[in-house]
Amino acid sequence: MKRRVAFLITMLFVIISILGCSKHLSIGTNGDNSVNKEKQGLLFSTEYEVQDYFNGYFIVSKLQGKLWGVIDNSGNEIIPLKYTSIVFDNKKEVADGRNDELNFVAEDNGVKIHLNTNGELGGSCKIKPIIGTINDEREYYAKNTSGVYVADSTKKNILYMYSVGEGEFVDFYQITDEYELLVAETGIRSEKAYLLNKIGDVIWEKSCSSCTVQKKGDNAVIYFQDFMGKAEIYTMDVDGNMNQVDNYCKDDFGIHDGKKPEGLVRYILGADDNIYIKQTNDKFYKLINKMGDNLAYDKYIEYAQHEDIILLLNENQGVTMVNSEGKVVKDLEDFEWKDSESSEPDYLGKCIYYDEVFGAKDALYIVRENGEKNDVYRISINQ
């Protein structure tokens, strides 16, 4: 009898223990052991305010924007939050493939310093010509508001200095071994481009509203637009020969082969420029290939762009995601576009209009307030 009582008491403790454990486990799971909806896609939570994102790095701040730093996509601190401001130094160059290593510009007591992704002093970028190769000791460059300094592999011996004659320097393209293009901002929606040879002589300059350079085939395409959107386009081959052409078009995702397709084409996507988002005569939108075949639903009611990601509302209030490379997720889980009048869909029951949203080629990142913390969600394009 005593043994039976002891056994029953032991079993009672076991049951209580199991119930206690299951109570804690239920915080993260439903009855079917699936992850709670509010945690699906959750990358990490942070006490910091997220200010910007690119290529696996979040610029963050604390104390109402008084101190800034950088964390990675696991929430680990890369650059301590001790600076009065931080921005990406060469985000555009890395996105274009002109640089491999990302840098930051941090401000500390009024002094600007350059940092790499390890938080170490840096700022120099390896030269990568758009076409061809570099045939001398030029290997790195560094920039400031007035121009560019080009150095050898030691990063100490300055070989050339390229400066702009007017405006504030904003971009540098090493087009070929022999030619560089510097772009300066001269006013609101006003730029000036300077084509230089490698010893720094200005051999050609042009005023424009915007200037973009991109490799297409064996050539570099230099695409100018005025404030009315009219384009003036040139190609340069590896020998420096330039020709004015009209067989390219441009949108938010870069320069594309061929003239702009007929009709109201909003975006051209894909490595081969073979996917379109096109507005129809009845004010709807289609996601189609060059042949006109639908890639997902027959029509879409609304769209929203977040950098490299476009979200599309279908007739069933569902959401399709497509990136600049043309990858498509037909039906995004946990997304709903409840109202066609809304400019953004809901994610996990809340409109992302009220969140910080960043669109990268690999995923959509959503930063959402959750009490005193911010939850960072990642919705992959590879689903």
Side-chain angles (χ1 to χ4, degrees), residues 33-250:
N33 292 325
S34 62
V35 178
N36 273 340
K37 282 291 183 183
E38 63 267 19
K39 295 303 179 185
Q40 287 191 9
L42 183 64
L43 195 60
F44 62 87
S45 295
T46 177
E47 61 187 290
Y48 304 138
E49 295 288 329
V50 178
Q51 305 291 346
D52 202 357
Y53 170 82
F54 178 70
N55 215 33
Y57 297 95
F58 294 88
I59 293 177
V60 294
S61 67
K62 66 179 182 179
L63 301 178
Q64 297 181 326
K66 293 180 181 178
L67 295 175
W68 294 58
V70 177
I71 59 177
D72 64 15
N73 56 11
S74 296
N76 300 315
E77 188 176 282
I78 302 299
I79 297 176
L81 281 82
K82 64 178 185 179
Y83 299 97
T84 51
S85 72
I86 292 184
V87 295
F88 292 111
D89 184 32
N90 58 337
K91 178 178 178 178
K92 187 172 185 292
E93 292 96 316
V94 172
D96 291 348
R98 288 181 280 147
N99 288 170
D100 293 327
E101 298 178 2
L102 186 63
N103 290 314
F104 304 88
V105 176
E107 189 168 327
D108 186 15
N109 295 320
V111 178
K112 290 185 178 181
I113 59 174
H114 292 264
L115 301 169
N116 61 24
T117 52
N118 294 319
E120 303 162 341
L121 289 175
S124 59
C125 302
K126 195 159 187 177
I127 295 174
K128 289 181 65 177
I130 292 175
I131 52 175
T133 58
I134 299 296
N135 297 316
D136 58 23
E137 55 185 334
R138 287 171 294 161
E139 194 161 340
Y140 291 92
Y141 75 89
K143 58 185 181 179
N144 58 24
T145 56
S146 61
V148 176
Y149 298 87
V150 176
D152 62 12
S153 59
T154 69
K155 303 182 184 180
K156 296 178 181 179
N157 297 321
I158 305 299
L159 305 175
Y160 303 108
M161 184 182 73
Y162 306 137
S163 59
V164 296
E166 178 185 354
E168 183 174 310
F169 167 77
V170 292
D171 215 343
F172 169 72
Y173 298 91
Q174 183 76 50
I175 300 180
T176 69
D177 174 54
E178 293 287 337
Y179 295 100
E180 294 83 21
L181 188 79
L182 272 66
V183 181
E185 186 178 301
T186 55
I188 299 174
R189 295 186 63 195
S190 178
E191 295 182 345
K192 196 166 188 177
Y194 301 86
L195 183 67
L196 303 93
N197 59 24
K198 68 178 182 180
I199 61 173
D201 298 326
V202 177
I203 57 176
W204 185 70
E205 60 184 63
K206 181 169 182 60
S207 297
C208 58
S209 179
S210 67
C211 173
T212 304
V213 183
Q214 188 175 322
K215 181 180 180 181
K216 301 296 289 184
D218 295 329
N219 294 323
V221 178
I222 308 172
Y223 197 104
F224 298 104
Q225 278 185 300
D226 63 20
F227 70 97
M228 295 294 291
K230 183 179 179 182
E232 192 171 314
I233 313 165
Y234 297 86
T235 59
M236 177 181 283
D237 64 22
V238 71
D239 296 319
N241 300 310
M242 287 186 69
N243 293 290
Q244 188 170 357
V245 297
D246 63 357
N247 58 328
Y248 295 96
C249 61
K250 179 179 171 291

Side-chain angles (χ1 to χ4, degrees), residues 311-338:
L311 302 174
L312 296 144
L313 162 64
N314 65 38
E315 292 180 284
N316 301 320
Q317 297 183 326
V319 179
T320 294
M321 178 167 69
V322 58
N323 72 357
S324 57
E325 296 176 340
K327 292 183 178 179
V328 178
V329 180
K330 184 177 179 181
D331 294 298
L332 280 180
E333 187 178 354
D334 300 321
F335 277 81
E336 185 180 17
W337 209 317
K338 294 180 179 178

